[in-house]
Amino acid sequence: MHVSTREPAGQKPQTADPVLVLMGVSGSGKSTVAGIIAGAMGWDLQEGDALHPPANVAKMASGQPLTDEDRWPWLDLVAGWIREHTDNGLPGVITCSALKRSYRDVLRGDNVVFVHLAGSRQQIGERLTTRLDHFMPASLLDTQISTLEPIQPDEDAIVVDVGGSPTQVATEIIAQLEQRLGR
């Protein structure tokens, strides 16, 4: 499993438990891995998709990709959850596709670490075809992949390949966090 950690230039190493934003395209395992991490660490967990307004859910369920105009109010809700936690020194895990740098810029803040669950189109496509309990159809995967802007060197992030099991991926993320925190 390949993992790379990037801390923005000029920023002090992290010492407090962060808020993790598990990001990536639909089907990358965000919800499953986030649940494992939150359970293992005893941190708050928020499923970002649960914050979507009904109109967004209906649009995606019908196979239509969201526009930026659809996403901004949702991203504001996700950012609010993150700020509530970071302002109060509470660690947490939230899922959010965060596909574009401009979306991540809305979510970015002190003590926020993005965790990009990265995988091949084939890996993620296979996962989507077996998933039964989600409103996002597999037909939108190509749109998500074309929208995805890779993590840049100045973004505080961990990039993890999703080739392993969800438990292996979560274990690797926790190990990287422990290393960052000097534990």
Side-chain angles (χ1 to χ4, degrees):
M1 179 179 320
H2 169 74
V3 177
S4 65
T5 303
R6 299 181 183 152
E7 292 185 41
Q11 189 167 3
K12 295 184 292 189
Q14 211 160 322
T15 57
D17 288 337
V19 169
L20 302 181
V21 178
L22 266 71
M23 60 163 285
V25 298
S26 186
S28 61
K30 295 182 296 289
S31 297
T32 302
V33 173
I36 294 168
I37 293 170
M41 303 296 284
W43 292 357
D44 290 345
L45 172 64
Q46 175 63 55
E47 175 59 55
D49 282 344
L51 300 176
H52 271 296
N56 282 8
V57 174
K59 190 171 186 177
M60 287 184 283
S62 73
Q64 299 175 57
L66 296 180
T67 65
D68 283 351
E69 292 73 30
D70 297 324
R71 283 188 184 92
W72 294 125
W74 170 65
L75 288 167
D76 287 341
L77 292 172
V78 172
W81 188 92
I82 293 168
R83 275 191 310 275
E84 177 182 318
H85 281 72
T86 57
D87 288 352
N88 291 298
L90 300 172
V93 183
I94 188 166
T95 61
C96 177
S97 54
L99 299 176
K100 289 185 180 181
R101 169 78 186 238
S102 60
Y103 305 162
R104 295 189 297 271
D105 288 344
V106 170
L107 307 176
R108 192 176 326 282
D110 290 339
N111 220 24
V112 175
V113 177
F114 293 94
V115 179
H116 180 198
L117 301 181
S120 71
R121 196 237 177 269
Q122 181 179 349
Q123 278 176 313
I124 294 171
E126 288 171 6
R127 289 177 179 206
L128 281 173
T129 59
T130 61
R131 189 165 74 170
L132 303 173
D133 61 345
H134 199 273
F135 57 81
M136 180 79 148
S139 61
L140 291 180
L141 178 58
D142 288 331
T143 300
Q144 289 216 326
I145 289 172
S146 68
T147 301
L148 178 63
E149 295 174 358
I151 293 288
Q152 297 302 302
D154 66 330
E155 294 185 87
D156 193 0
I158 297 170
V159 179
V160 181
D161 181 271
V162 298
S165 72
T167 300
Q168 290 170 323
V169 172
T171 299
E172 185 59 39
I173 292 165
I174 291 168
Q176 289 291 320
L177 288 173
E178 295 295 321
Q179 184 178 17
R180 280 175 166 235
L181 298 171
R183 297 182 186 158

